[in-house]
């Protein structure tokens, strides 16, 4: 269920940025943007809303899968804490602490995905579609807004990495102590 919700959120964030980049070409502030969206969407909002909602989940799944590949193949090759490949030594431990730590690491990885998917990947993919496929210019204010939001959401990724690293150290110490006994 957690993944389903994450996919849906990523898809909706993508659609959100797609709308902002598309309508934002003629808006220099949020009030102008809201007026433009309202003027264009109020005519047949029902059909457009249904299409947007139905497309959110599949788009979110695609965004998340790209994020998984980036995390495991690129980032994970440089920073071991972000690699989802299991460590066999850790699997042999059966303590309650191991269960708690592995659940905590899983949650931290989810926090990473939420930040990366929605702060970087969704707005970037929306930008590429508007700029390359629809071939429309994008007002710089919305590009800067997306970049600022992406930076704000992504800054915490470094803290997540440190937390995962610390939990891995605790897990290793627990396993080493068990093996000594």
């Amino acid at each position: 269920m957690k993944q389903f919700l994450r996919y849906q959120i990523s898809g909706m964030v993508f659609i959100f940025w797609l709308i902002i980049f598309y309508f934002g070409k003629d808006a220099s502030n949020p009030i102008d943007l809201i007026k433009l969206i309202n003027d264009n969407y109020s005519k047949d909002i029902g059909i457009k809303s249904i299409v947007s909602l139905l497309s959110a989940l599949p788009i979110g799944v695609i965004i998340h899968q790209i994020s998984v590949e980036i995390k495991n193949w690129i980032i994970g090759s440089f920073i071991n804490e972000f690699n989802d490949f299991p460590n066999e030594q850790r699997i042999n431990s059966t303590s309650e602490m191991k269960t708690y730590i592995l659940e905590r690491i899983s949650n931290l990885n989810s926090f990473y995905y939420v930040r990366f998917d929605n702060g970087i990947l969704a707005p970037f993919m929306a930008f590429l579609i508007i700029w390359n496929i629809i071939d429309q210019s994008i007002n710089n204010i919305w590009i800067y807004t997306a970049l600022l939001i992406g930076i704000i959401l992504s800054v915490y990724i470094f803290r997540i990495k440190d937390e995962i690293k610390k939990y891995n150290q605790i897990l290793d110490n627990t396993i080493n102590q068990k093996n000594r006994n």
Side-chain angles (χ1 to χ4, degrees):
M1 184 64 174
K2 183 172 33 173
Q3 288 177 326
F4 176 80
L5 182 59
R6 190 168 59 216
Y7 300 156
Q8 193 171 16
I9 291 169
S10 295
M12 292 179 87
V13 169
F14 168 79
I15 291 169
F16 170 79
W17 282 110
L18 204 63
I19 290 168
I20 286 177
F21 289 149
Y22 183 78
F23 289 111
K25 71 176 180 158
D26 297 320
S28 59
N29 61 59
I31 302 298
D32 290 344
L33 180 64
I34 291 169
K35 288 178 184 175
L36 280 169
I37 292 171
N38 185 47
D39 291 345
N40 286 288
Y41 264 99
S42 63
K43 296 174 183 110
D44 51 357
I45 187 120
I47 294 171
K48 291 178 182 178
S49 295
I50 291 169
V51 169
S52 294
L53 289 174
L54 291 177
S55 63
L57 184 61
I59 292 169
V61 171
I62 292 168
I63 289 170
H64 180 70
Q65 293 309 312
I66 293 170
S67 180
V68 168
E69 291 175 7
I70 291 170
K71 178 181 176 278
N72 288 313
W73 290 350
I74 299 171
I75 297 172
S77 66
F78 297 108
I79 304 171
N80 290 333
E81 289 77 22
F82 283 128
N83 192 335
D84 288 339
F85 195 79
N87 184 331
E88 289 182 29
Q89 289 178 322
R90 294 187 177 142
I91 294 173
N92 294 328
S93 177
T94 58
S95 71
E96 287 181 27
M97 182 180 275
K98 174 199 161 231
T99 303
Y100 169 79
I101 290 172
L102 291 175
E103 181 64 28
R104 183 68 183 134
I105 290 171
S106 174
N107 288 338
L108 288 166
N109 276 304
S110 291
F111 300 158
Y112 160 84
Y113 284 123
V114 166
R115 283 167 171 72
F116 188 78
D117 292 5
N118 301 319
I120 297 172
L121 209 49
F124 180 70
M125 290 175 68
F127 169 81
L128 287 178
I129 287 176
I130 296 296
W131 190 51
N132 286 325
I133 296 174
I134 297 177
D135 198 26
Q136 174 179 304
S137 64
I138 299 170
N139 192 328
N140 286 339
I141 188 74
W142 306 116
I143 294 171
Y144 298 142
T145 301
L147 287 171
L148 179 64
I149 291 171
I151 290 168
I152 291 169
L153 287 174
S154 301
V155 163
Y156 196 75
I157 289 175
F158 299 105
R159 170 66 185 226
I160 292 170
K161 176 203 147 280
D162 291 340
E163 285 185 51
I164 292 172
K165 187 174 185 176
K166 185 64 176 175
Y167 279 116
N168 282 332
Q169 288 172 350
I170 293 168
L171 190 57
D172 287 341
N173 291 339
T174 303
I175 293 168
N176 290 336
Q177 191 170 20
K178 183 180 177 185
N179 289 338
R180 281 184 268 185
N181 295 335

